[in-house]
Amino acid sequence: MTSARTRVRMIERLREQGIRDEAVLAVMGDIPRHLFVEEALASRAYEDTALPLGFSQTISQPFIVARMIELLRSGRSGLGKTLEVGAGCGYQAAVLGRLTSEVYAVERIAPLLEKAKANLRTLKLFNVRLKHADGQLGLPEAAPFDTIILAASAPAMPQALLQQLAPGGRMVLPIGSIEQTLHLVERTPQGFIETKLDAVRFVPLLPGTE
């Protein structure tokens, strides 16, 4: 269930669901997602479903990871300097780390951050910098970012993250509590352009660290 054939099936399914970015598909086909989940769940790693990580957190379903990164890359030369809010086990950070040279990922739950660090070391992804921090505040010391991606749903548009978005930059994030929607934000010379997209389901973006 963790074989190359299983990964190929996952990529075929993503294509059927409408993912067209071949670079995203190639990276997701190459990264061993089963290494990022609990051993008992490894056989389900390539299903199109979110899986529990403990601490009331989940690893996002492959389609959502592919969809969000495809949105960020569409029509651009690359992701540039990227901030991920909600690193979790490090899977999405690993995908990002294979698609751009500079990734910063913040995680508020210390034991999860340690898992992410170990997973990224295993894959020798040393261009991903991980930090234990409150994701709502972003990472001002490393701003501005060309790309920001959130793996948890904000109750409203996070103003701190908007201010850390570079001119010409893009942010993709879920917004809402009971009903959540994916939003794409682009920073233009005229201001921020916000596009409301798909209905989604994420864990909530919580304040503070633990």
Side-chain angles (χ1 to χ4, degrees), residues 2 40 67 74 97 100 107 110 127 142 162 179 190 194 197 208:
T2 56
R67 167 81 169 134
S74 180
T100 192
E107 172 55 56
N127 62 323
L162 282 180
E179 293 183 358
Q190 292 74 40
E194 185 177 346
L197 300 160

Side-chain angles (χ1 to χ4, degrees), residues 2 40 58 72 76 83 119 122 128 133 139 154 157-158 162 173 179 191 196 207:
T2 56
T58 58
L72 291 168
R76 301 167 84 196
L83 172 67
N119 290 335
T122 299
V128 180
L139 201 58
M157 186 63 69
L162 282 180
L173 72 162
E179 293 183 358
K196 194 173 176 180

Side-chain angles (χ1 to χ4, degrees), residues 53-165:
L53 293 173
F55 310 98
S56 300
Q57 302 300 300
T58 58
I59 179 174
S60 295
Q61 69 186 95
F63 172 73
I64 287 292
V65 173
R67 167 81 169 134
M68 292 174 79
I69 297 175
E70 181 177 68
L71 283 166
L72 291 168
R73 280 174 46 88
S74 180
R76 301 167 84 196
S77 58
L79 292 169
K81 184 161 76 167
T82 297
L83 172 67
E84 181 196 27
V85 174
C89 61
Y91 175 72
Q92 186 167 261
V95 176
L96 293 165
R98 290 282 300 275
L99 290 165
T100 192
S101 59
E102 197 175 3
V103 178
Y104 295 80
V106 297
E107 172 55 56
R108 62 183 294 274
I109 300 170
L112 267 186
L113 187 75
E114 292 309 311
K115 278 188 183 182
K117 284 179 179 176
N119 290 335
L120 293 168
R121 272 198 303 270
T122 299
L123 295 183
K124 296 182 168 56
L125 276 164
F126 302 120
N127 62 323
V128 180
R129 297 170 177 84
L130 290 154
K131 183 164 184 183
H132 185 221
D134 181 345
Q136 289 189 348
L137 306 178
L139 201 58
E141 62 267 35
F145 299 98
D146 302 301
T147 299
I148 301 177
I149 184 168
L150 274 72
S153 188
M157 186 63 69
Q159 295 303 307
L161 296 180
L162 282 180
Q163 297 313 311
Q164 291 173 37
L165 196 59

Side-chain angles (χ1 to χ4, degrees), residues 24 33 50 117 134-135 206:
V24 172
R33 192 169 185 261
K117 284 179 179 176
D134 181 345
L206 299 174

